[in-house]
Amino acid sequence: CHLAESLSMLRARFRATGTFALRHGGQGLMEHISTPFGGRGLSAGMLAAQALAAECSPETTLDDKWKLLRNLTDARHAFRLSDRAVAVLSALLSFHKDAAISAEGCIVYPSNRKLSERAHGISESTLRRALGQLVEAGLIIRKDSPNGKRYPRGNAPSDAYGFDLTPLIVRRREIEAAAEAVKEERRRERDARERITVLSRDIRKAATFLLEATDGTHEGAMVVLEQLAAILKSRPRSLAEAEEQA
């Protein structure tokens, strides 16, 4: 994924504003930073996600949250997400009532029990690990209350304590591009397998014909068959593996 680029943007922003903010009480630097409740520490991934979210216009909208989820499901390995993390994200998205999500008011605040139920009954420990993956990948932001509970607060949706989905809105094109890259890789692998299958068939039939034409006495034909068997046995299972062996 492009989290490294997000971190670079964050560092540049800090270099540009950090000194000024510290000289003025740190207000500019800390304005949009939310730290996790309890013993959980603050990480570079959290800071990068919060920096990107802070720069997102309230009018910015994600048109279809389920399309984004499908794209992220395809590209989950690029974002270092497990299948359970994707299932938990799906559960989080289900707590936002509309298919479209705007940057203004995209905080959901389900309890762990409700989240577990909608994520097919996963355990508390698995749920915590999945949420940690989503946070560290910079896809959601924890907005923890003073006591760690999640609940609405005030009249503005953005005042709620829970999980902020703004990073998904900001990174929607990045996620879509990652999904397209995965699909293209699958197409290349499929095409490569088809070429290998056709070539293997042609070689096998040519060698078989040679054996039949020479009553099985042609040593060259036997060598070809043995080489073909070795090639088929050791052929890579994916295009990436093939490129590594090249």
Side-chain angles (χ1 to χ4, degrees):
C1 68
H2 300 287
L3 188 57
E5 295 179 8
S6 301
L7 291 175
S8 297
M9 292 172 57
L10 177 65
R11 294 189 186 100
R13 183 181 178 190
F14 277 6
R15 283 196 296 268
T17 64
T19 302
F20 176 85
L22 290 174
R23 288 176 179 173
H24 293 77
Q27 294 179 359
L29 188 62
M30 298 298 295
E31 181 180 0
H32 298 290
I33 292 180
S34 174
T35 57
F37 173 78
R40 294 189 297 268
L42 194 63
S43 70
M46 296 178 191
L47 289 173
Q50 292 182 39
L52 290 175
E55 296 172 356
C56 181
S57 168
E59 291 77 27
T60 307
T61 301
L62 171 65
D63 293 330
D64 187 345
K65 63 184 181 183
W66 301 122
K67 179 181 178 181
L68 178 136
L69 182 67
R70 290 192 295 272
N71 285 335
L72 192 56
T73 300
D74 287 335
R76 64 189 180 279
H77 297 304
F79 291 86
R80 299 181 181 179
L81 298 178
S82 65
D83 293 343
R84 293 296 178 87
V86 174
V88 169
L89 180 60
S90 176
L92 280 173
L93 290 174
S94 72
F95 285 97
H96 189 282
K97 62 180 181 179
D98 298 322
I101 304 177
S102 68
E104 185 176 16
C106 59
I107 296 177
V108 294
Y109 36 88
S111 66
N112 281 359
R113 181 178 64 83
K114 290 291 186 181
L115 261 181
S116 177
E117 289 175 358
R118 294 201 188 183
H120 312 296
I122 63 175
S123 67
E124 180 81 13
S125 59
T126 301
L127 176 63
R128 287 197 300 268
R129 285 195 298 271
L131 289 170
Q133 285 183 20
L134 294 168
V135 171
E136 191 57 36
L139 297 172
I140 63 173
I141 298 171
R142 289 183 186 271
K143 190 177 178 183
D144 289 346
S145 67
N147 62 6
K149 301 294 183 180
R150 303 171 199 136
Y151 53 85
R153 183 171 65 99
N155 296 323
S158 58
D159 290 337
Y161 288 118
F163 295 103
D164 190 344
L165 307 177
T166 304
L168 293 174
I169 301 173
V170 177
R171 304 179 69 183
R172 62 195 185 282
R173 293 188 179 89
E174 177 190 344
I175 294 170
E176 183 177 4
E180 282 300 319
V182 170
K183 293 174 183 176
E184 177 60 25
E185 177 73 6
R186 288 174 181 168
R187 285 191 289 268
R188 291 174 61 199
E189 288 186 1
R190 184 187 64 245
D191 292 344
R193 289 194 186 98
E194 289 177 354
R195 291 195 297 271
I196 290 173
T197 299
V198 171
L199 181 60
S200 300
R201 182 194 64 200
D202 293 345
I203 294 175
R204 183 183 295 276
K205 290 191 175 183
T208 300
F209 169 77
L210 184 58
L211 278 175
E212 292 173 349
T214 57
D215 296 325
T217 58
H218 198 290
E219 294 182 358
M222 294 300 296
V223 171
V224 170
L225 283 177
E226 291 173 359
Q227 291 177 343
L228 176 61
I231 291 173
L232 293 177
K233 185 177 180 180
S234 63
R235 72 180 182 182
R237 296 182 179 180
S238 69
L239 188 58
E241 186 179 343
E243 291 174 346
E244 288 178 3
Q245 295 180 6

